[in-house]
Amino acid sequence: MGKVKVFCVTVDTDPSTVPPAIPGCLCVSGSIVIKLKEPVQVKYLKVRLQGVSSCRWSEGSGDDKKSRSSTDLFINLEQELIRSDESSPHVLNQGSHKVPFVFEARTNRRLPSSYAGNSGHIVYSLNAKMDRFGVISDDRSSLVIKISNPLPLNPAIHEQPAVAEDSHTDCCLCCASGPVIVTANINKSGLAIGSGETLKVSLSVDNMKRKAITPKVGIIEISRFLAEGTSQTGMKVIAVAQPGQPIMPNTRNNRSSYVIGPIPPTVCGNIKSTRNIFVSYMVSVKMKGSRFRLLHPIFIGMGQTAYPNYQFLSLFSMSGDDPNAPPLIDFGRIMYTPYQPGQTVAVNC
């Protein structure tokens, strides 16, 4: 980087310097840190806050292979911190400099949690750029922020128990098999992230097969990605109960109970506020030894107890510093007050 030893973007971590929470607004304050070996003449210094939901995947193969992509840019704010012309350049002297900034990102839709899937992701980032007189290449630095802002649970709905039932018969042309019939009693319809809460699932199973089956109960995350009029679906397990005991052939009304959870803070929760990524959850009941599977919706969100949704879960900084400079990894927090239903918030992005 020549005269520039370190160029990085950071966020404030001291609670006394974090900007106050504003309803429906993502407030981020920080600084661009610059360490110089010699004085430089700055043409401009900018920082941009972005929130983007992106999808990309490929379909087909060979000559028929097609790429699908979509982007939903829901935050795009830029601040120009320094601007000068060549006749009167802004000079930064040798040594260390901190140029502060504050963003207030307002939106009329709830900001989703950060998310990463096989075919898409939701990313928040700070991107700094400095252009110097007499230098062809820019100095750049990026900070990726992982934000947790789950949708809130509605106690009137999500504390209610649920019942799900289904049946399946495994058969082929050369054999006959009786059905597997399952009734699942679920003690609530929603779970709070990071609260320590668990879900209780009670099963009643009729196994009319000729061999034993074993229940496997858990919660799965289902992601739907949209791009160019097509869609992709991803699925992964986020919590499982201890495996059940085998249910012998020709057994009726076999009863067993399972505990799932708690849901870790790294789970993003239900997402439905972007235009191209939607995330939901299902209670899954499978049977080892059968193709039976029962799926029932479960809402995963923010509970009534205090949850640190204002905290950065992780920050990762990338810049072109020299090998002797310290690692540019920072940890901090933001203050984010969730969007309140019925509240009108101006859009300035």
Side-chain angles (χ1 to χ4, degrees), residues 25 74-78 103-108 345-349:
C25 179
F74 50 86
I75 296 178
N76 188 29
L77 299 175
E78 184 179 80
F103 280 106
E104 294 181 0
R106 302 171 185 266
T107 175
N108 58 357
V345 181
V347 178
N348 68 346
C349 56

Side-chain angles (χ1 to χ4, degrees), residues 323-335:
N324 298 318
L328 300 181
I329 298 177
D330 306 278
F331 293 87
R333 68 176 184 173
I334 59 172
M335 292 297 290

Side-chain angles (χ1 to χ4, degrees), residues 83 174 253 263 289:
R83 165 66 72 174
C174 59
N253 199 28
I263 303 301

Side-chain angles (χ1 to χ4, degrees), residues 228-239:
E228 301 178 24
T230 64
S231 65
Q232 285 270 50
T233 301
M235 185 182 299
K236 70 177 181 180
V237 177
I238 64 163

Side-chain angles (χ1 to χ4, degrees), residues 254-277:
N254 178 276
R255 296 183 178 273
S256 55
S257 295
Y258 304 85
V259 176
I260 313 172
I263 303 301
T266 51
V267 172
C268 65
N270 285 64
I271 293 177
K272 55 183 180 180
S273 58
T274 73
R275 297 185 176 95
N276 55 356
I277 295 179

Side-chain angles (χ1 to χ4, degrees), residues 310-343:
Y310 57 84
Q311 290 185 352
F312 290 143
L313 296 183
S314 65
L315 301 177
F316 177 68
S317 180
M318 298 169 287
S319 71
D321 57 324
D322 70 9
N324 298 318
L328 300 181
I329 298 177
D330 306 278
F331 293 87
R333 68 176 184 173
I334 59 172
M335 292 297 290
Y336 182 79
T337 301
Y339 176 77
Q340 301 297 320
Q343 181 183 37

